Amino acid sequence: MRILTVKVMTIDDAFREAMADAARAVSGQIIGSELIFPGVEQLAKTMLAPNRWQIIKVMQGGKPLSIRALSRIVQRDFRGVYNDVQALLNGGVLDKAGEKIVLPYDRIHIEFNSDEVAA
């Protein structure tokens, strides 16, 4: 099972974690796939908006799709789906597979602490 772990952490913490991952990789250990956001707001804006989350759920673990095919599946207009796909591509959630898009993970695990959420 391919899992994407999404985390919210400060830039300093992300740098420390990247250094630890690099050390593990150099020693031959397998490191997982992670996506790090600097704040919960950025995570929510990029991934958790309802329409974007719908795209993620439809695509996870599936085959590459064209944006037109995806818009038919989620029953939304092409332009709105296109804009959401661009945001997910720019955020590192989706990948391009030629002219199509893909979410190459079977599961997404999201981690953040409640004290990281601004009041």
Side-chain angles (χ1 to χ4, degrees):
M1 177 176 291
R2 300 162 299 174
I3 299 172
L4 172 64
T5 300
V6 179
K7 296 180 177 182
V8 174
M9 62 178 60
T10 66
I11 293 172
D12 290 338
D13 289 342
F15 181 74
R16 278 191 287 282
E17 186 159 314
M19 294 298 291
D21 285 348
R24 286 196 314 271
V26 167
S27 70
Q29 295 179 19
I30 296 174
I31 56 173
S33 298
E34 290 185 345
L35 186 57
I36 297 173
F37 288 94
V40 174
E41 295 82 11
Q42 187 64 37
L43 165 65
K45 179 181 172 187
T46 302
M47 292 181 66
L48 301 180
N51 287 337
R52 292 182 185 168
W53 189 248
Q54 178 188 31
I55 290 170
I56 290 168
K57 293 301 291 176
V58 164
M59 294 197 66
Q60 71 183 13
K63 295 180 181 180
L65 293 172
S66 68
I67 297 175
R68 190 159 309 284
L70 179 60
S71 65
R72 282 193 294 270
I73 292 168
V74 297
Q75 299 178 354
R76 293 180 43 220
D77 68 286
F78 175 85
R79 187 43 129 181
V81 173
Y82 175 85
N83 290 336
D84 287 337
V85 164
Q86 294 308 308
L88 291 168
L89 284 167
N90 292 334
V93 180
L94 297 179
D95 291 332
K96 286 195 146 247
E99 293 295 314
K100 297 182 178 183
I101 51 168
V102 65
L103 179 62
Y105 303 101
D106 301 307
R107 178 179 288 166
I108 296 176
H109 175 78
I110 300 174
E111 297 178 5
F112 66 90
N113 295 316
S114 61
D115 60 352
E116 294 166 340
V117 180

